[in-house]
Amino acid sequence: MLVLFFFLSISLTQVRVSPFGDTTAKFISCYPEYQGIEEIESRIVELTNKEREKRNLKKLIVDHHLLIAARQHSFEMISRGYFSHISPIETNKTPLVRIYNSGLPQYKIAENIAENTGDLVPILLKKEPDSLARIIHRNLMESPPHRENILNSDYTHIGVGTVFRDNTLKVTQNFADESGIKVDSVLVERKGGEYLMSIYLNAYILSIRVFMDEEKLPENSLEFYSSRIVIPLRINSGLHKIELCYKDGNIYRCEVRIYVQTSAPWNQLFQLLRGDN
């Protein structure tokens, strides 16, 4: 008998970064590459894109970081015997943290998860993988919050990770918006009583303005390069919210938001995100 269980989807819109302890605090993957069932994964991506094409939405592009994060979560759920968006491992706690840990700093992401359990699962995996992928996809589409993530026009990229063990198949489907301004990497150096935080972006930054704790920083206090901004931060001044924004008419639209904890010990090379509020 094939039994299907589904959990609520999660959609998040902020990334929180809590460094800093090294002059080369790069965004890199913290996860090993787990083996997934590639045929099921690719078929779910195809079915997802067919649904989007029916509604004149852009097809999602497979992103390797999202795939890594998806497989990692599916592997963890199946190895630890749980089914939830919230991990019991603190450093993997939320979808936001997991996608960040994969090496992809994003600022709007979503996650769907699914589980198939029963004696028919290994049979379908071996003989009818396409049918199994269709079952998973159909149930996701029949659930309003999961369908909303699949058909959200904001998302541009996808990663699906499936892991099988003991008649149970766990599926994680990650989405991300990789349009607009993106952070490529963050480098930090200590100079006197300050941290100098260099934010590298995927675009030219001449029109970007920097806000810290809701206040716009004077441009003469910053260093601007073609795709890099250097922001001075006083050591041990607490938690700051850094936003990179561009002006649209009379308002500022902020596309990048980073939380910086300046009181972190210097000997911590890189402090992972936390999933709490």
Side-chain angles (χ1 to χ4, degrees), residues 42-60 130 134 137 141 150-151 158 173:
S42 61
R43 188 62 179 137
I44 291 174
V45 172
E46 290 173 10
L47 292 168
T48 297
N49 278 329
K50 282 185 177 180
E51 296 288 353
R52 292 175 67 88
E53 286 182 296
K54 288 178 187 177
R55 296 160 178 83
N56 296 318
L57 298 172
K58 288 184 178 180
K59 292 174 64 175
L60 298 171
D130 183 71
R134 288 180 179 277
H137 175 71
M141 285 297 295
I150 289 170
L151 300 179
I158 187 173
Q173 188 179 42

Side-chain angles (χ1 to χ4, degrees), residues 246-262:
Y246 65 92
K247 198 166 186 178
D248 183 4
N250 294 322
I251 64 172
Y252 283 97
R253 298 192 180 277
C254 300
E255 293 197 3
V256 172
R257 183 178 295 111
I258 303 174
Y259 288 86
V260 181
Q261 177 55 263
T262 62

Side-chain angles (χ1 to χ4, degrees), residues 98-117:
R98 293 190 290 272
I99 290 177
Y100 178 86
N101 286 349
S102 76
L104 185 69
Q106 292 300 330
Y107 306 93
K108 184 168 185 178
I109 65 96
E111 178 182 87
N112 290 338
I113 58 175
E115 176 184 273
N116 289 38
T117 302

Side-chain angles (χ1 to χ4, degrees), residues 55-241:
R55 296 160 178 83
N56 296 318
L57 298 172
K58 288 184 178 180
K59 292 174 64 175
L60 298 171
I61 301 167
V62 174
D63 183 279
H64 189 65
H65 300 87
L66 294 177
L67 184 150
I68 287 174
R71 284 184 181 174
Q72 181 278 329
H73 189 53
S74 292
F75 176 83
E76 184 183 293
M77 286 194 295
I78 210 165
S79 61
R80 289 182 171 256
Y82 74 92
F83 185 62
S84 172
H85 292 288
I86 305 303
S87 167
I89 300 175
E90 182 65 24
T91 52
N92 294 337
K93 189 173 181 181
T94 68
L96 187 73
V97 176
R98 293 190 290 272
I99 290 177
Y100 178 86
N101 286 349
S102 76
L104 185 69
Q106 292 300 330
Y107 306 93
K108 184 168 185 178
I109 65 96
E111 178 182 87
N112 290 338
I113 58 175
E115 176 184 273
N116 289 38
T117 302
D119 295 338
L120 286 179
V121 176
I123 298 172
L124 289 172
L125 272 177
K126 185 176 181 179
K127 297 184 176 180
E128 294 288 340
D130 183 71
S131 296
L132 186 55
R134 288 180 179 277
I135 290 170
I136 295 166
H137 175 71
R138 183 176 67 246
N139 280 270
L140 289 171
M141 285 297 295
E142 288 176 353
S143 167
H146 295 85
R147 184 174 64 248
E148 183 178 348
N149 284 337
I150 289 170
L151 300 179
N152 191 318
S153 61
D154 290 341
Y155 298 126
T156 57
H157 289 70
I158 187 173
V160 177
T162 61
V163 178
F164 173 75
R165 180 187 292 176
D166 299 331
N167 290 352
T168 298
L169 182 74
K170 301 278 190 178
V171 181
T172 302
Q173 188 179 42
N174 285 333
F175 305 89
D177 173 15
E178 295 191 30
S179 61
I181 304 170
K182 289 194 304 178
V183 175
D184 175 64
S185 60
V186 176
L187 282 76
V188 182
E189 63 177 312
R190 185 172 182 172
K191 187 175 182 179
E194 289 184 325
Y195 288 134
L196 296 180
M197 182 174 69
S198 292
I199 301 177
Y200 289 81
L201 303 171
N202 68 328
Y204 291 107
I205 60 172
L206 296 179
S207 61
I208 292 176
R209 297 297 174 260
V210 181
F211 286 74
M212 185 166 70
D213 303 327
E214 312 295 343
E215 297 290 332
K216 188 171 74 167
L217 296 178
E219 293 177 37
N220 60 10
S221 69
L222 308 168
E223 295 180 37
F224 287 87
Y225 301 89
S226 60
S227 59
R228 176 168 65 107
I229 300 174
V230 180
I231 304 170
L233 299 168
R234 187 162 50 86
I235 295 174
N236 292 326
S237 59
L239 180 69
H240 299 290
K241 179 172 70 173

